[in-house]
């Protein structure tokens, strides 16, 4: 049976776009109402939901609303793609083992919210991209697949970043295919 996926993103949503162009996405969720990813979803005819943590009394209530959406849509797999919040206990309790995340570095190197910037500033000769299961830590869950991306001698931050994103756009679809997500 085909796995039903939802994609969560907070900002631009270029990874969401790549995913939605090749796979059936049940819905997009954004934790920012005015994020560009919401517009991308509308253009791609993917249902979009957006609400913000600050609209709720606490994170548990916010995540309860997310779990309701996931259950309503009978989602099998949640794909975080630039979702810049830590997944809390409420969402994890309902969906642990069914949430994956993409991280723009070669974990366990450079976890956290600024993987590309941190890697760049460290001056290492290679970085990478990682897709992993989400657990209660920050980018600590079991690694599903990762790929190395070199930093070239004449790179600037922008060219390095662009190479990381290209690797992301190749890796996410590969992993979704391997996890049995149906292509369009
Ligand atoms: C991506 O590079 C993704 O790996 C990163 O945010 C970017 C989102 O770009 N995620 C993290 O740093 C999570 N810690 P996008 O919105 O254009 O897909």
């Amino acid at each position: 049976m085909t796995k039903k996926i939802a994609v969560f993103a907070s900002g631009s949503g270029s990874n969401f776009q790549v995913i939605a162009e090749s796979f059936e996405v049940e819905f997009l969720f954004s934790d920012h109402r005015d994020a560009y990813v919401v517009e991308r979803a509308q253009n791609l005819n993917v249902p979009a939901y957006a609400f913000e943590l600050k609209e709720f009394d606490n994170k548990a209530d916010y995540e309860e609303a997310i779990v309701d959406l996931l259950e309503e849509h009978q989602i099998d797999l949640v794909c975080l793609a630039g979702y810049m919040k830590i997944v809390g206990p409420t969402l994890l309790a309902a969906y642990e083992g069914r949430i994956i995340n993409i991280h723009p570095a070669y974990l366990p190197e450079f976890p956290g919210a600024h993987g590309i910037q941190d890697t760049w500033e460290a001056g290492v000769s290679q970085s990478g991209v990682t897709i992993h299961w989400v657990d209660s830590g920050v980018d600590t869950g079991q690694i599903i697949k990762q790929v190395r991306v070199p930093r070239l001698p004449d790179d600037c931050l922008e060219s390095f970043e662009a190479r990381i994103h290209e690797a992301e756009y190749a890796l996410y679809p590969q992993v979704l295919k391997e996890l049995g997500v149906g292509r369009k």
Side-chain angles (χ1 to χ4, degrees), residues 9-17 37 40 81-84 101-105 111-116 129-130 138-139 161 164-165 168-169:
S10 300
S12 161
S14 62
N15 277 281
F16 160 74
Q17 170 123 14
V37 69
R40 289 192 199 258
Y83 177 68
M84 301 309 282
N101 179 47
I102 188 161
H103 183 73
H114 309 287
I116 298 177
V129 169
T130 304
V138 177
D139 301 325
E161 189 163 6
I164 296 281
H165 288 313
E168 292 190 306
Y169 305 153

Side-chain angles (χ1 to χ4, degrees), residues 87-105:
V87 173
T90 305
L91 180 48
L92 262 187
Y95 269 81
E96 186 154 20
R98 294 184 287 171
I99 311 176
I100 62 175
N101 179 47
I102 188 161
H103 183 73

Side-chain angles (χ1 to χ4, degrees), residues 61-82:
D61 287 357
Y62 160 79
E63 288 198 335
E64 201 51 62
I66 293 176
V67 171
D68 285 349
L69 272 181
L70 293 171
E71 287 176 348
E72 231 168 77
H73 287 265
Q74 300 181 304
I75 296 300
D76 300 304
L77 185 70
V78 177
C79 305
L80 307 185

